[in-house]
């Protein structure tokens, strides 16, 4: 029997089920062991479920539709087609997206803003039920946005840890099964050691709290496209950022099989004199991932970061030309929604055409996940870049 002193149950709702001395010989008395080294084995209530959720999101030919813009950012999207930022306009837009027939063939998860998680269609059907019918896992943005980081070089940090455990438990009850926390790192601002450490620590605390409440955390330290730096410089910064992130994830006992990553692709800065080809971007990005990401992580779900719809799809396709240790896929917002918004224009008679536009992009990225996208037949609009300096989410 294990001595009661060696078992600590219910450490902040996780269970620590084993702790023993490394230098204890079989049959020797526990009391005589000269030195104890704690070896905690974490058996959270949700471990199996987290692994299953992450696997189902990272399933072949599918990726994530990100529509978790804060109300302010959603307002900017609506303003681009001449609509006011009202709750009913936001709901109409999200309804169009989430009720697209056949979406589940290409989309495995949808990241929602809190308002959308609790909303229903105009016919009274909960959005989370619309998603479940298409076998799409509902997700939720849980961070509270970026604010200036005092003591840094004009950099920011991400808020939202206070009350996160209880909010996450409520989101789980409402049907969410994964979460997103986006923090950013700026290359032109340094990045400073302080900003990188803060970003990594915040992500790790968030990831541990999410897993404790049954939500698969998407870990997103976005390395912003802003700047005129080379692709080599982006690689260097990305390797540094991901090494810090994994260091703190491990320190917080985060289960790697139950997380998803949302990295930026490794590209030159948006203002760099030369553009890189999809093959070069794939080479650098995969190099960074192989050096830093353990194969236990089930899925890499890239953000689009201001690339055009077609660029984001071509780059993803280039990364899937040979097998990877992880599912390499997409979690795009701008690169899935741009054509949809332009087609919809806020008019009810355009809803069907806009849903078709969403399916076109979702299918293109599904093919890219399988490494089978050719880029044929894409229209000029989809090739336009969407980079915005100092983009806020
Ligand atoms: P995009 O960069 O693809 O617009 O989205 C970023 C994001 O974090 C969405 O959840």
């Amino acid at each position: 029997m294990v001595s009661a002193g060696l078992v600590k149950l219910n450490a902040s709702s996780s269970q620590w089920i084993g702790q023993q001395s490394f230098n204890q010989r079989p049959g020797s008395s526990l009391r005589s062991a000269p030195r104890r080294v704690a070896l905690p084995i974490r058996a959270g209530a949700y471990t199996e479920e987290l692994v299953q959720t992450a696997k189902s999101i990272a399933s072949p030919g599918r990726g994530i539709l990100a529509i978790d813009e804060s109300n302010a950012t959603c307002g900017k999207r609506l303003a681009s087609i001449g609509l006011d930022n009202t709750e009913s306009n936001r709901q109409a837009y999200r309804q169009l997206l989430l009720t697209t027939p056949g979406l589940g063939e290409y989309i495995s998860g949808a990241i929602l803003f809190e308002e959308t998680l609790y909303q229903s269609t105009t016919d009274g059907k909960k959005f989370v039920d619309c998603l479940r019918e298409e076998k799409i896992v509902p997700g939720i943005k849980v961070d509270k946005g970026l604010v200036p980081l005092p003591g840094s070089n004009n950099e920011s940090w991400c808020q939202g840890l206070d009350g996160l455990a209880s909010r996450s438990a409520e989101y789980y009850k409402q049907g969410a099964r994964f979460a997103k926390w986006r923090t950013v790192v700026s290359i032109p601002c340094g990045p400073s050691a302080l900003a990188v450490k803060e970003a990594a620590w915040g992500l790790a605390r968030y990831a541990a709290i999410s897993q404790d409440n049954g939500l698969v955390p998407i870990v997103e330290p976005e390395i912003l496209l802003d700047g005129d730096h080379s692709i080599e410089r982006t690689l260097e910064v990305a390797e540094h950022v991901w090494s810090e992130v994994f260091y703190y994830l491990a320190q917080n006992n985060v289960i790697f099989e139950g997380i998803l990553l949302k990295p930026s692709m490794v590209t030159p800065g948006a203002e760099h004199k030369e553009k890189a080809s999809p093959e070069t971007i794939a080479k650098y990005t995969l190099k960074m991932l192989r050096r830093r990401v353990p194969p236990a992580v089930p899925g890499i779900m890239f953000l689009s970061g201001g690339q055009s719809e077609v660029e984001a799809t071509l780059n993803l396709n280039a990364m899937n030309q040979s097998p990877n240790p992880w599912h390499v896929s997409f979690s795009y917002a701008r690169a899935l929604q741009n054509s949809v918004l332009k087609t919809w224009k806020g008019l009810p008679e355009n809803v069907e055409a806009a849903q078709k536009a969403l399916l076109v992009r979702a299918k293109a990225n599904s093919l890219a996940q399988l490494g089978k996208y050719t880029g044929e037949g894409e229209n000029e609009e989809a090739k336009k870049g969407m980079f915005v300096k100092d983009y806020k989410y």
Side-chain angles (χ1 to χ4, degrees), residues 321-382:
Q321 293 310 301
S322 48
N324 289 306
W326 340 263
H327 173 81
V328 173
S329 192
F330 59 94
S331 173
Y332 298 156
R334 281 167 280 179
L336 278 172
Q337 293 181 49
N338 214 34
S339 303
V340 182
L341 269 171
K342 286 182 182 157
T343 311
W344 178 42
K345 300 189 181 88
L347 301 173
E349 60 270 31
N350 291 342
V351 166
E352 216 182 297
Q355 290 182 328
K356 285 206 178 112
L358 175 60
L359 283 182
V360 166
R361 290 272 36 98
K363 184 174 179 188
N365 287 300
S366 162
L367 287 169
Q369 197 293 306
L370 300 168
K372 293 180 179 160
Y373 170 75
T374 60
E376 267 164 40
E378 291 281 14
N379 67 42
E380 288 310 306
E381 269 308 305

Side-chain angles (χ1 to χ4, degrees), residues 68-88:
D68 57 310
E69 296 85 358
S70 62
N71 287 351
T73 305
C74 189
K76 286 184 201 151
R77 300 266 158 90
L78 295 174
S80 74
I81 54 166
L83 291 187
D84 288 338
N85 189 11
T86 60
E87 182 175 352
S88 66

Side-chain angles (χ1 to χ4, degrees), residues 66-68 77 111 180 182 220 222 262 302-306 331-335 391 393:
I67 58 162
D68 57 310
R77 300 266 158 90
I111 317 176
K180 173 199 133 167
R182 172 186 181 257
E220 181 180 0
E222 176 169 350
K262 184 156 168 163
F302 285 104
L303 57 92
S304 58
S331 173
Y332 298 156
R334 281 167 280 179
Y391 188 76
Y393 216 71

Side-chain angles (χ1 to χ4, degrees), residues 153-188:
N153 185 25
N154 276 328
E155 294 160 284
S156 26
W157 70 288
C158 184
Q159 304 180 109
L161 290 177
D162 283 358
L164 181 58
S166 53
R167 281 196 291 129
S168 301
E170 285 305 316
Y171 298 147
Y172 183 94
K173 279 193 210 147
Q174 183 63 17
R177 290 294 178 271
F178 72 104
K180 173 199 133 167
W181 175 285
R182 172 186 181 257
T183 191
V184 300
V185 172
S186 161
I187 297 181

